[in-house]
PDB file of all heavy atoms in Angstrom:
ATOM      1  N   VAL A   1      -0.145  12.162  -2.749  1.00 95.00           N
ATOM      2  CA  VAL A   1      -1.230  11.898  -1.805  1.00 95.00           C
ATOM      3  C   VAL A   1      -1.854  13.205  -1.338  1.00 95.00           C
ATOM      4  O   VAL A   1      -1.161  14.081  -0.824  1.00 95.00           O
ATOM      5  CB  VAL A   1      -0.701  11.108  -0.582  1.00 95.00           C
ATOM      6  CG1 VAL A   1      -1.819  10.823   0.410  1.00 95.00           C
ATOM      7  CG2 VAL A   1      -0.023   9.822  -1.023  1.00 95.00           C
ATOM      8  N   ARG A   2      -3.150  13.318  -1.531  1.00 94.00           N
ATOM      9  CA  ARG A   2      -3.944  14.447  -1.040  1.00 94.00           C
ATOM     10  C   ARG A   2      -5.115  13.821  -0.287  1.00 94.00           C
ATOM     11  O   ARG A   2      -6.180  13.596  -0.850  1.00 94.00           O
ATOM     12  CB  ARG A   2      -4.457  15.309  -2.197  1.00 94.00           C
ATOM     13  CG  ARG A   2      -3.364  15.877  -3.071  1.00 94.00           C
ATOM     14  CD  ARG A   2      -2.585  16.964  -2.335  1.00 94.00           C
ATOM     15  NE  ARG A   2      -1.544  17.520  -3.169  1.00 94.00           N
ATOM     16  CZ  ARG A   2      -0.243  17.266  -3.037  1.00 94.00           C
ATOM     17  NH1 ARG A   2       0.180  16.445  -2.103  1.00 94.00           N
ATOM     18  NH2 ARG A   2       0.634  17.838  -3.826  1.00 94.00           N
ATOM     19  N   ALA A   3      -4.872  13.504   0.967  1.00 94.00           N
ATOM     20  CA  ALA A   3      -5.859  12.739   1.735  1.00 94.00           C
ATOM     21  C   ALA A   3      -5.820  13.150   3.198  1.00 94.00           C
ATOM     22  O   ALA A   3      -4.905  13.844   3.641  1.00 94.00           O
ATOM     23  CB  ALA A   3      -5.574  11.241   1.604  1.00 94.00           C
ATOM     24  N   CYS A   4      -6.806  12.669   3.921  1.00 93.00           N
ATOM     25  CA  CYS A   4      -6.841  12.870   5.367  1.00 93.00           C
ATOM     26  C   CYS A   4      -5.696  12.092   6.016  1.00 93.00           C
ATOM     27  O   CYS A   4      -4.989  11.336   5.352  1.00 93.00           O
ATOM     28  CB  CYS A   4      -8.184  12.403   5.921  1.00 93.00           C
ATOM     29  SG  CYS A   4      -8.421  10.608   5.815  1.00 93.00           S
ATOM     30  N   ALA A   5      -5.526  12.263   7.299  1.00 95.00           N
ATOM     31  CA  ALA A   5      -4.430  11.599   8.005  1.00 95.00           C
ATOM     32  C   ALA A   5      -4.500  10.078   7.865  1.00 95.00           C
ATOM     33  O   ALA A   5      -3.460   9.414   7.754  1.00 95.00           O
ATOM     34  CB  ALA A   5      -4.422  12.000   9.478  1.00 95.00           C
ATOM     35  N   LEU A   6      -5.701   9.510   7.852  1.00 96.00           N
ATOM     36  CA  LEU A   6      -5.822   8.058   7.707  1.00 96.00           C
ATOM     37  C   LEU A   6      -5.369   7.609   6.319  1.00 96.00           C
ATOM     38  O   LEU A   6      -4.648   6.610   6.182  1.00 96.00           O
ATOM     39  CB  LEU A   6      -7.255   7.609   7.970  1.00 96.00           C
ATOM     40  CG  LEU A   6      -7.721   7.764   9.423  1.00 96.00           C
ATOM     41  CD1 LEU A   6      -9.218   7.581   9.517  1.00 96.00           C
ATOM     42  CD2 LEU A   6      -6.989   6.801  10.326  1.00 96.00           C
ATOM     43  N   GLY A   7      -5.775   8.324   5.289  1.00 96.00           N
ATOM     44  CA  GLY A   7      -5.335   8.004   3.936  1.00 96.00           C
ATOM     45  C   GLY A   7      -3.843   8.198   3.770  1.00 96.00           C
ATOM     46  O   GLY A   7      -3.165   7.412   3.099  1.00 96.00           O
ATOM     47  N   GLN A   8      -3.296   9.232   4.392  1.00 96.00           N
ATOM     48  CA  GLN A   8      -1.861   9.463   4.352  1.00 96.00           C
ATOM     49  C   GLN A   8      -1.105   8.351   5.074  1.00 96.00           C
ATOM     50  O   GLN A   8      -0.070   7.888   4.598  1.00 96.00           O
ATOM     51  CB  GLN A   8      -1.529  10.809   4.981  1.00 96.00           C
ATOM     52  CG  GLN A   8      -1.995  11.990   4.186  1.00 96.00           C
ATOM     53  CD  GLN A   8      -1.746  13.298   4.928  1.00 96.00           C
ATOM     54  OE1 GLN A   8      -0.849  13.404   5.759  1.00 96.00           O
ATOM     55  NE2 GLN A   8      -2.556  14.300   4.626  1.00 96.00           N
ATOM     56  N   ALA A   9      -1.609   7.927   6.217  1.00 97.00           N
ATOM     57  CA  ALA A   9      -0.956   6.850   6.976  1.00 97.00           C
ATOM     58  C   ALA A   9      -0.949   5.555   6.173  1.00 97.00           C
ATOM     59  O   ALA A   9       0.052   4.836   6.134  1.00 97.00           O
ATOM     60  CB  ALA A   9      -1.659   6.643   8.318  1.00 97.00           C
ATOM     61  N   ALA A  10      -2.069   5.257   5.511  1.00 97.00           N
ATOM     62  CA  ALA A  10      -2.131   4.052   4.681  1.00 97.00           C
ATOM     63  C   ALA A  10      -1.150   4.152   3.514  1.00 97.00           C
ATOM     64  O   ALA A  10      -0.458   3.183   3.185  1.00 97.00           O
ATOM     65  CB  ALA A  10      -3.553   3.831   4.164  1.00 97.00           C
ATOM     66  N   ALA A  11      -1.061   5.335   2.885  1.00 97.00           N
ATOM     67  CA  ALA A  11      -0.116   5.534   1.786  1.00 97.00           C
ATOM     68  C   ALA A  11       1.316   5.366   2.275  1.00 97.00           C
ATOM     69  O   ALA A  11       2.175   4.825   1.567  1.00 97.00           O
ATOM     70  CB  ALA A  11      -0.311   6.906   1.163  1.00 97.00           C
ATOM     71  N   SER A  12       1.576   5.805   3.479  1.00 97.00           N
ATOM     72  CA  SER A  12       2.905   5.654   4.067  1.00 97.00           C
ATOM     73  C   SER A  12       3.270   4.180   4.234  1.00 97.00           C
ATOM     74  O   SER A  12       4.373   3.752   3.866  1.00 97.00           O
ATOM     75  CB  SER A  12       2.956   6.374   5.417  1.00 97.00           C
ATOM     76  OG  SER A  12       4.243   6.315   5.976  1.00 97.00           O
ATOM     77  N   LEU A  13       2.341   3.399   4.766  1.00 97.00           N
ATOM     78  CA  LEU A  13       2.587   1.965   4.947  1.00 97.00           C
ATOM     79  C   LEU A  13       2.706   1.239   3.608  1.00 97.00           C
ATOM     80  O   LEU A  13       3.544   0.350   3.451  1.00 97.00           O
ATOM     81  CB  LEU A  13       1.475   1.335   5.780  1.00 97.00           C
ATOM     82  CG  LEU A  13       1.491   1.693   7.261  1.00 97.00           C
ATOM     83  CD1 LEU A  13       0.218   1.205   7.940  1.00 97.00           C
ATOM     84  CD2 LEU A  13       2.726   1.128   7.941  1.00 97.00           C
ATOM     85  N   MET A  14       1.892   1.628   2.646  1.00 97.00           N
ATOM     86  CA  MET A  14       1.969   0.997   1.333  1.00 97.00           C
ATOM     87  C   MET A  14       3.321   1.311   0.706  1.00 97.00           C
ATOM     88  O   MET A  14       4.044   0.426   0.273  1.00 97.00           O
ATOM     89  CB  MET A  14       0.820   1.487   0.438  1.00 97.00           C
ATOM     90  CG  MET A  14       0.713   0.778  -0.904  1.00 97.00           C
ATOM     91  SD  MET A  14       1.795   1.440  -2.187  1.00 97.00           S
ATOM     92  CE  MET A  14       1.202   3.109  -2.322  1.00 97.00           C
ATOM     93  N   GLY A  15       3.686   2.580   0.675  1.00 95.00           N
ATOM     94  CA  GLY A  15       4.936   2.983   0.046  1.00 95.00           C
ATOM     95  C   GLY A  15       6.177   2.439   0.711  1.00 95.00           C
ATOM     96  O   GLY A  15       7.168   2.128   0.044  1.00 95.00           O
ATOM     97  N   ALA A  16       6.130   2.296   2.014  1.00 96.00           N
ATOM     98  CA  ALA A  16       7.296   1.809   2.753  1.00 96.00           C
ATOM     99  C   ALA A  16       7.623   0.353   2.465  1.00 96.00           C
ATOM    100  O   ALA A  16       8.762  -0.075   2.654  1.00 96.00           O
ATOM    101  CB  ALA A  16       7.066   1.993   4.258  1.00 96.00           C
ATOM    102  N   HIS A  17       6.645  -0.407   1.987  1.00 97.00           N
ATOM    103  CA  HIS A  17       6.843  -1.845   1.814  1.00 97.00           C
ATOM    104  C   HIS A  17       6.552  -2.355   0.408  1.00 97.00           C
ATOM    105  O   HIS A  17       6.526  -3.560   0.179  1.00 97.00           O
ATOM    106  CB  HIS A  17       5.977  -2.603   2.822  1.00 97.00           C
ATOM    107  CG  HIS A  17       6.241  -2.202   4.236  1.00 97.00           C
ATOM    108  ND1 HIS A  17       7.375  -2.580   4.920  1.00 97.00           N
ATOM    109  CD2 HIS A  17       5.534  -1.409   5.078  1.00 97.00           C
ATOM    110  CE1 HIS A  17       7.355  -2.043   6.134  1.00 97.00           C
ATOM    111  NE2 HIS A  17       6.252  -1.330   6.251  1.00 97.00           N
ATOM    112  N   ALA A  18       6.324  -1.466  -0.546  1.00 97.00           N
ATOM    113  CA  ALA A  18       5.903  -1.886  -1.888  1.00 97.00           C
ATOM    114  C   ALA A  18       7.043  -2.317  -2.805  1.00 97.00           C
ATOM    115  O   ALA A  18       6.848  -3.182  -3.664  1.00 97.00           O
ATOM    116  CB  ALA A  18       5.114  -0.764  -2.559  1.00 97.00           C
ATOM    117  N   ILE A  19       8.217  -1.733  -2.647  1.00 97.00           N
ATOM    118  CA  ILE A  19       9.323  -2.047  -3.547  1.00 97.00           C
ATOM    119  C   ILE A  19       9.677  -3.536  -3.415  1.00 97.00           C
ATOM    120  O   ILE A  19       9.832  -4.066  -2.318  1.00 97.00           O
ATOM    121  CB  ILE A  19      10.552  -1.168  -3.253  1.00 97.00           C
ATOM    122  CG1 ILE A  19      10.188   0.316  -3.334  1.00 97.00           C
ATOM    123  CG2 ILE A  19      11.706  -1.515  -4.199  1.00 97.00           C
ATOM    124  CD1 ILE A  19       9.629   0.778  -4.663  1.00 97.00           C
ATOM    125  N   GLY A  20       9.765  -4.191  -4.571  1.00 97.00           N
ATOM    126  CA  GLY A  20      10.077  -5.623  -4.596  1.00 97.00           C
ATOM    127  C   GLY A  20       8.857  -6.527  -4.559  1.00 97.00           C
ATOM    128  O   GLY A  20       8.974  -7.741  -4.695  1.00 97.00           O
ATOM    129  N   ARG A  21       7.672  -5.950  -4.405  1.00 97.00           N
ATOM    130  CA  ARG A  21       6.443  -6.754  -4.328  1.00 97.00           C
ATOM    131  C   ARG A  21       5.897  -7.064  -5.712  1.00 97.00           C
ATOM    132  O   ARG A  21       6.101  -6.317  -6.667  1.00 97.00           O
ATOM    133  CB  ARG A  21       5.367  -6.009  -3.540  1.00 97.00           C
ATOM    134  CG  ARG A  21       5.730  -5.668  -2.115  1.00 97.00           C
ATOM    135  CD  ARG A  21       5.781  -6.892  -1.234  1.00 97.00           C
ATOM    136  NE  ARG A  21       6.023  -6.514   0.150  1.00 97.00           N
ATOM    137  CZ  ARG A  21       5.382  -7.018   1.174  1.00 97.00           C
ATOM    138  NH1 ARG A  21       4.468  -7.948   1.008  1.00 97.00           N
ATOM    139  NH2 ARG A  21       5.668  -6.609   2.390  1.00 97.00           N
ATOM    140  N   THR A  22       5.167  -8.147  -5.789  1.00 97.00           N
ATOM    141  CA  THR A  22       4.516  -8.552  -7.037  1.00 97.00           C
ATOM    142  C   THR A  22       3.120  -7.944  -7.110  1.00 97.00           C
ATOM    143  O   THR A  22       2.560  -7.530  -6.082  1.00 97.00           O
ATOM    144  CB  THR A  22       4.373 -10.086  -7.105  1.00 97.00           C
ATOM    145  OG1 THR A  22       3.482 -10.506  -6.055  1.00 97.00           O
ATOM    146  CG2 THR A  22       5.711 -10.790  -6.980  1.00 97.00           C
ATOM    147  N   PRO A  23       2.533  -7.930  -8.302  1.00 97.00           N
ATOM    148  CA  PRO A  23       1.139  -7.473  -8.400  1.00 97.00           C
ATOM    149  C   PRO A  23       0.199  -8.289  -7.511  1.00 97.00           C
ATOM    150  O   PRO A  23      -0.732  -7.735  -6.925  1.00 97.00           O
ATOM    151  CB  PRO A  23       0.808  -7.666  -9.883  1.00 97.00           C
ATOM    152  CG  PRO A  23       2.119  -7.540 -10.578  1.00 97.00           C
ATOM    153  CD  PRO A  23       3.113  -8.167  -9.630  1.00 97.00           C
ATOM    154  N   GLU A  24       0.462  -9.578  -7.395  1.00 97.00           N
ATOM    155  CA  GLU A  24      -0.383 -10.432  -6.547  1.00 97.00           C
ATOM    156  C   GLU A  24      -0.285 -10.023  -5.079  1.00 97.00           C
ATOM    157  O   GLU A  24      -1.293 -10.022  -4.359  1.00 97.00           O
ATOM    158  CB  GLU A  24       0.008 -11.909  -6.701  1.00 97.00           C
ATOM    159  CG  GLU A  24      -0.284 -12.490  -8.061  1.00 97.00           C
ATOM    160  CD  GLU A  24       0.766 -12.150  -9.131  1.00 97.00           C
ATOM    161  OE1 GLU A  24       1.873 -11.660  -8.781  1.00 97.00           O
ATOM    162  OE2 GLU A  24       0.458 -12.340 -10.318  1.00 97.00           O
ATOM    163  N   GLU A  25       0.912  -9.694  -4.636  1.00 98.00           N
ATOM    164  CA  GLU A  25       1.088  -9.278  -3.245  1.00 98.00           C
ATOM    165  C   GLU A  25       0.372  -7.953  -2.972  1.00 98.00           C
ATOM    166  O   GLU A  25      -0.219  -7.768  -1.896  1.00 98.00           O
ATOM    167  CB  GLU A  25       2.569  -9.157  -2.905  1.00 98.00           C
ATOM    168  CG  GLU A  25       3.270 -10.493  -2.802  1.00 98.00           C
ATOM    169  CD  GLU A  25       4.771 -10.365  -2.660  1.00 98.00           C
ATOM    170  OE1 GLU A  25       5.400  -9.647  -3.473  1.00 98.00           O
ATOM    171  OE2 GLU A  25       5.319 -10.998  -1.733  1.00 98.00           O
ATOM    172  N   LEU A  26       0.420  -7.046  -3.928  1.00 98.00           N
ATOM    173  CA  LEU A  26      -0.292  -5.779  -3.755  1.00 98.00           C
ATOM    174  C   LEU A  26      -1.801  -5.998  -3.721  1.00 98.00           C
ATOM    175  O   LEU A  26      -2.508  -5.393  -2.904  1.00 98.00           O
ATOM    176  CB  LEU A  26       0.082  -4.803  -4.864  1.00 98.00           C
ATOM    177  CG  LEU A  26       1.518  -4.268  -4.805  1.00 98.00           C
ATOM    178  CD1 LEU A  26       1.847  -3.488  -6.062  1.00 98.00           C
ATOM    179  CD2 LEU A  26       1.728  -3.424  -3.570  1.00 98.00           C
ATOM    180  N   ALA A  27      -2.305  -6.864  -4.588  1.00 98.00           N
ATOM    181  CA  ALA A  27      -3.736  -7.169  -4.590  1.00 98.00           C
ATOM    182  C   ALA A  27      -4.140  -7.866  -3.290  1.00 98.00           C
ATOM    183  O   ALA A  27      -5.206  -7.580  -2.725  1.00 98.00           O
ATOM    184  CB  ALA A  27      -4.098  -8.033  -5.796  1.00 98.00           C
ATOM    185  N   GLU A  28      -3.303  -8.746  -2.810  1.00 98.00           N
ATOM    186  CA  GLU A  28      -3.582  -9.441  -1.550  1.00 98.00           C
ATOM    187  C   GLU A  28      -3.627  -8.458  -0.385  1.00 98.00           C
ATOM    188  O   GLU A  28      -4.496  -8.555   0.491  1.00 98.00           O
ATOM    189  CB  GLU A  28      -2.514 -10.508  -1.307  1.00 98.00           C
ATOM    190  CG  GLU A  28      -2.745 -11.342  -0.083  1.00 98.00           C
ATOM    191  CD  GLU A  28      -1.671 -12.413   0.061  1.00 98.00           C
ATOM    192  OE1 GLU A  28      -1.542 -13.256  -0.844  1.00 98.00           O
ATOM    193  OE2 GLU A  28      -0.954 -12.386   1.086  1.00 98.00           O
ATOM    194  N   ALA A  29      -2.710  -7.492  -0.366  1.00 98.00           N
ATOM    195  CA  ALA A  29      -2.706  -6.483   0.698  1.00 98.00           C
ATOM    196  C   ALA A  29      -3.973  -5.632   0.631  1.00 98.00           C
ATOM    197  O   ALA A  29      -4.606  -5.365   1.660  1.00 98.00           O
ATOM    198  CB  ALA A  29      -1.462  -5.608   0.579  1.00 98.00           C
ATOM    199  N   ARG A  30      -4.352  -5.210  -0.566  1.00 98.00           N
ATOM    200  CA  ARG A  30      -5.580  -4.421  -0.757  1.00 98.00           C
ATOM    201  C   ARG A  30      -6.794  -5.194  -0.254  1.00 98.00           C
ATOM    202  O   ARG A  30      -7.611  -4.675   0.505  1.00 98.00           O
ATOM    203  CB  ARG A  30      -5.745  -4.089  -2.241  1.00 98.00           C
ATOM    204  CG  ARG A  30      -7.044  -3.377  -2.576  1.00 98.00           C
ATOM    205  CD  ARG A  30      -7.426  -3.534  -4.026  1.00 98.00           C
ATOM    206  NE  ARG A  30      -7.578  -4.949  -4.365  1.00 98.00           N
ATOM    207  CZ  ARG A  30      -7.331  -5.461  -5.568  1.00 98.00           C
ATOM    208  NH1 ARG A  30      -6.937  -4.703  -6.563  1.00 98.00           N
ATOM    209  NH2 ARG A  30      -7.499  -6.758  -5.783  1.00 98.00           N
ATOM    210  N   ASP A  31      -6.902  -6.441  -0.668  1.00 98.00           N
ATOM    211  CA  ASP A  31      -8.062  -7.250  -0.297  1.00 98.00           C
ATOM    212  C   ASP A  31      -8.082  -7.558   1.195  1.00 98.00           C
ATOM    213  O   ASP A  31      -9.143  -7.511   1.823  1.00 98.00           O
ATOM    214  CB  ASP A  31      -8.076  -8.548  -1.105  1.00 98.00           C
ATOM    215  CG  ASP A  31      -8.256  -8.301  -2.595  1.00 98.00           C
ATOM    216  OD1 ASP A  31      -8.629  -7.168  -2.994  1.00 98.00           O
ATOM    217  OD2 ASP A  31      -7.991  -9.240  -3.372  1.00 98.00           O
ATOM    218  N   GLY A  32      -6.922  -7.858   1.763  1.00 98.00           N
ATOM    219  CA  GLY A  32      -6.854  -8.141   3.192  1.00 98.00           C
ATOM    220  C   GLY A  32      -7.255  -6.940   4.026  1.00 98.00           C
ATOM    221  O   GLY A  32      -8.003  -7.066   5.007  1.00 98.00           O
TER     222      GLY A  32
END
């Protein structure tokens, strides 16, 4: 990650909860 604090914070939340997720769940999170 090479981003501003907001991009870093989003990457932190994504990474903290991504393990075990399906592609559909990741797409749903992105869209939501």
Side-chain angles (χ1 to χ4, degrees):
V1 180
R2 301 289 180 255
C4 68
L6 292 168
Q8 291 175 26
S12 183
L13 288 171
M14 186 276 299
H17 304 286
I19 304 301
R21 300 289 185 136
T22 65
E24 293 80 13
E25 288 172 309
L26 291 171
E28 184 178 300
R30 175 202 59 211
D31 296 346

